[in-house]
Structures are given as structure tokens and as C-alpha cells.
Amino acid sequence: MLGSNENLIHDVRAKFAHVDSCPYQGTRVFFENAGGALTLNSVAEKSQEMAAIPDNQGRDNPAAHELVRIIAKAKDDTKLFFNASGGQVFVGESGTELLFRLISAAILGAEKGGIVLGSTLEHPASRSACIRWADIAGKDYVSVPHNAETGSVTAEDYLPHISPDTRVATILHTSPVSGMAVDVGAIAKAIRNVAPDCYIIIDGIQHAAHGGIDIDSYGIDGYVISPYKAFSRHGYGLAWISDRFTQLPHDGLIGAPQAQWELGTRDTGAYATFSEVVAYFEWLGSQVTDSTDRRARIEAAGKAIHAHEKDLTDAMLFGIGNLKGLTEMPEVGVLCGAENPLREGLVSMTVKGMDAETLVSALRERGIRVHARKADHYSANILTPLGLEDCVRVSMCHYNSEQEVAQFLTAMQEIVAL
């Protein structure tokens, strides 16, 4: 839908900084969105505006009152974006830091004994936190094996490992290596059916840029994102927790309200910039639906994003115009299946006889920005079961165009012909 409307894709791209050029390299195609998406121009402008304000929240002056209003609005905006009717949202140092905080609070605050449940699909941000705090709390950590061929994990995979004494569970919404999504609602339901009091925490860091978050339908207790991967800026993470999670013991100042989860004075600009992200989703939704309802527009934007990114990945895999796709290049291997319906804007690949770093450099020389993933503490859980030492991650977002995919395929044809 976005790609077939030249005016709309032009308007979308115009809202992002450095959409087609790097301030250090010059003209380039940005296919490294999983490492950090492009930043909205409005976010950059809002950051500059907020950084210059000298006042703090909680004082009796007009500036302080306005900062409190901005934060309250941003929290409401974020809950709308998440579709969370209850609970609370707050910011922290990063998505990883917030996952550690939520997971440690859940494990230490849950009933003694029992197990902490995760999966081998997960990013080390959640897996490391679970292993560390389960050991400290004397709980067993159980890791559900994911499906290496599909690059995802299902409720059926979780079921044999769920028991009534499952105290805490973590679920990855989308893998940053395979690019495949997970049905978090189905997994959460399977856990609740057996262990209704389990604290369930979702790592939504990779998923957030692709739209389609619906916390009210999941039946969970925590959801964490990194806004720099969802069109905002570096320097903060964003978490939602349920009302019952709010009551868990957690780090805080003595005498502070029980419901307060923020530590110290947070950056008002962090909240303000995420309001800009929500406003962008509303604007995009208004271009593809006639509804004036804010949540309906956000949902419409998510559907349009998903549809356009599927068009882009299909073009990359199967070709566009007279250009062959990756599946038609015998030297290229595509991780987790070219026809995988779980794919969210990402293709990870290998080239026979060429290591990932060499391929990244070859693409960079041709103006294409991608990233190498190695079988290290970040990606070995995905690559090792496939017998791979590395791969190249090509990650797209909805502001990318079919012309950029064509540039990428042209570059790939040159490289594999060498």
C-alpha cells in the first residue's frame, strides 16, 4: 500500500532524518534498521527543544508544571500505542536495563521455588537476566528450544515445559537475528492455563518498529521496548507493567510511593520524544484509514507497515522487475526459509565462500548499509543450530522503498559474480 502510492511513500520518507544519506558517508541505502531505526525529524527537533529547558518537574513554576503535563501526556500516549488500559509506563536507561529490572523484581518477588521459563530464541537481554536472578533466588531456569528452521517459537513448543510452579516467564516478540515474529498472546495464554499467577514479561524491542502491539489482548505483566529502534532516539528505554506487577517489591527510595518505579529525575525529553512517535503512527494511520479514532489509526498504521515490509522482503527474496531475487542466486542462502510468514522486515543471509564481514564491506562500497551477525553471545543461539558461524542481516522498515531493494539486488548480483 505504501509502496504503490508514490506521494505517500515520499511523504513518509520526508519525515525521517538521513533517510537516504549518511552525514559521514554520503548517499547510502539504510538496511540496518534492526540495529536502530531512522529517527523522526520531529524527534530530533523535540530533543533539541527539551534539552534547553533548565527546570525540573515537581516545582511550583510554569515550566515545571508544563514538564509534568508533557510527561503525563506521553504516558497516556504510550498506553494508547501499546493498547494497555491498565498498568503504568515508565522510562529507564535502556530496554536491556529495564528487562533486567523487571525480571529481577518478578523473580525475587514471586513465590519461593519453582521455575523461570524462557526460550533459546531470546536475546541475551532477557536470557542473561533470567539466568542470573533465577540462580540468586534459588529457582530453576528452563529454556524452551525454538525451531531453528523457522527461526521462531510457538505455544506448542512451550507447552511441555510449563508446570503449575512456573513463577516467571519471558517471551521474545520478534527475533533481531532471524527476523521472525512470535505469537506472544498464544504463548501467554498457554502459560496462564497452567500457571495463572505466573509473571509474564515480553521483550518487544525488535517488534515495536513494525507496529501491532496489543497488550490488553496478551494477558501479560510486562512489556519493554527500546525507542531508538522505533523511530525515537538513544538514551532511554520504555516499559509497561501491569497493576499487580506494580505492587512487587522493587528498587526505590525509602518512603517513596509504592507505585513509583522510576529512579531519580528522568529526562522529560525522553517522554516527549515518544509522544512524537505515537503522533507519527497516528498520522500514518490517517493516510490509510478514514477513521478519526486514535487507536484505530495506530492499528491501521501497523497493518500498512506490515504489508509494505512484506512487499519489500518479497521483492528482495524473489526479485523485482528484471532483477533476480536472493532465492535465484545459487551462492546465497536465506536463513529460516524464504516463504516464512512470520518474517518482519528482515532477511538474514549467507554467501558461499564469503564471510559476513567481507560481504558487509562489499555492500558498503556499493552504498548499502547492512550488518554482520556472528555466533557470539548475541546471535549464537540462532546461528549455531543452523551450523553457521555468521550471517549478514538486511533489515528494512516501512520508509524503505522498492528502488532501494533494486539497488541492493544490483549490488548483490555484482558481488556474487566476482
Side-chain angles (χ1 to χ4, degrees):
M1 183 181 295
L2 301 183
S4 61
N5 184 333
E6 289 186 11
N7 291 331
L8 180 54
I9 194 65
H10 175 272
D11 291 345
V12 165
R13 288 169 65 83
K15 290 185 178 292
F16 289 87
H18 305 304
V19 69
D20 56 10
S21 64
C22 168
Y24 306 105
Q25 176 185 358
T27 302
R28 58 94 178 92
V29 172
F30 192 76
F31 282 167
E32 224 284 88
N33 293 283
L38 296 181
T39 305
L40 284 161
N41 288 317
S42 62
V43 165
E45 292 163 4
K46 183 62 69 173
S47 291
Q48 182 177 11
E49 174 191 336
M50 300 307 298
I53 296 175
D55 296 272
N56 289 321
Q57 312 110 27
R59 273 64 167 172
D60 186 13
N61 64 68
H65 296 165
E66 177 61 9
L67 297 181
V68 170
R69 186 199 68 80
I70 289 169
I71 292 172
K73 177 182 183 300
K75 289 183 175 183
D76 288 342
D77 289 343
T78 305
K79 289 177 71 174
L80 180 71
F81 180 74
F82 285 161
N83 197 35
S85 56
Q88 66 161 309
V89 296
F90 58 95
V91 298
E93 175 187 339
S94 66
T96 295
E97 182 260 345
L98 287 170
L99 282 169
F100 265 77
R101 284 180 61 193
L102 266 60
I103 289 167
S104 64
I107 291 174
L108 294 175
E111 186 180 344
K112 291 186 185 230
I115 68 169
V116 177
L117 186 64
S119 81
T120 58
L121 186 69
E122 292 179 33
H123 186 279
S126 57
R127 192 169 66 248
S128 300
C130 285
I131 292 171
R132 169 174 166 73
W133 289 101
D135 181 62
I136 290 171
K139 291 175 166 61
D140 294 326
Y141 177 65
V142 175
S143 188
V144 176
H146 74 279
N147 186 317
E149 297 304 315
T150 65
S152 188
V153 66
T154 65
E156 288 71 27
D157 295 324
Y158 266 77
L159 276 173
H161 305 277
I162 305 169
S163 62
D165 66 345
T166 303
R167 307 284 191 243
V168 178
T170 53
I171 309 169
L172 181 69
H173 206 153
T174 300
S175 168
V177 183
S178 74
M180 305 307 169
V182 172
D183 188 342
V184 296
I187 295 174
K189 182 178 180 181
I191 294 169
R192 289 267 180 254
N193 288 339
V194 179
D197 294 328
C198 178
Y199 291 102
I200 303 174
I201 300 165
I202 310 299
D203 173 356
I205 292 171
Q206 177 63 29
H207 177 74
H210 306 288
I213 299 174
D214 188 4
I215 283 174
D216 274 356
S217 73
Y218 299 154
I220 60 172
D221 295 289
Y223 196 99
V224 174
I225 69 170
S226 293
Y228 79 95
K229 290 194 176 187
F231 320 133
S232 190
R233 58 171 172 80
H234 284 271
Y236 71 107
L238 190 57
W240 169 87
I241 54 174
S242 66
D243 290 323
R244 75 172 189 134
F245 201 104
T246 294
Q247 299 307 312
L248 282 172
H250 56 276
D251 290 339
L253 301 180
I254 296 173
Q258 167 65 29
Q260 183 172 315
W261 278 70
E262 291 172 335
L263 294 171
T265 302
R266 302 307 309 175
D267 175 17
T268 305
Y271 283 111
T273 52
F274 202 75
S275 279
E276 295 297 326
V277 173
V278 179
Y280 169 74
F281 270 83
E282 290 183 58
W283 169 82
L284 180 58
S286 74
Q287 306 304 300
V288 295
T289 181
D290 293 329
S291 176
T292 58
D293 179 77
R294 296 179 69 201
R295 177 62 195 177
R297 287 181 169 183
I298 290 169
E299 291 176 355
K303 290 176 182 176
I305 286 169
H306 187 273
H308 180 57
E309 290 176 353
K310 185 178 188 306
D311 288 344
L312 294 177
T313 54
D314 282 353
M316 184 171 288
L317 291 166
F318 307 114
I320 181 172
N322 61 353
L323 291 170
K324 292 181 179 179
L326 296 176
T327 58
E328 300 174 272
M329 301 179 191
E331 303 86 354
V332 175
V334 175
L335 275 65
C336 303
E339 300 282 358
N340 197 324
L342 302 174
R343 188 181 303 281
E344 286 194 341
L346 190 155
V347 175
S348 285
M349 64 174 186
T350 59
V351 171
K352 192 179 300 181
M354 183 178 293
D355 64 74
E357 289 186 344
T358 300
L359 179 54
V360 168
S361 294
L363 285 166
R364 173 182 50 76
E365 291 167 358
R366 291 165 174 80
I368 313 291
R369 184 76 56 82
V370 295
H371 185 54
R373 302 299 329 190
K374 297 180 181 180
D376 55 14
H377 63 292
Y378 284 113
S379 305
N381 59 318
I382 304 297
L383 297 177
T384 300
L386 297 174
L388 298 174
E389 294 182 0
D390 58 23
C391 71
V392 169
R393 182 179 67 189
V394 187
S395 49
M396 291 161 280
C397 268
H398 67 284
Y399 40 67
N400 289 123
S401 67
E402 289 188 344
Q403 176 57 39
E404 290 178 319
V405 173
Q407 289 176 247
F408 167 80
L409 291 177
T410 299
M412 283 299 299
Q413 287 184 353
E414 293 176 2
I415 292 167
V416 299
L418 293 176

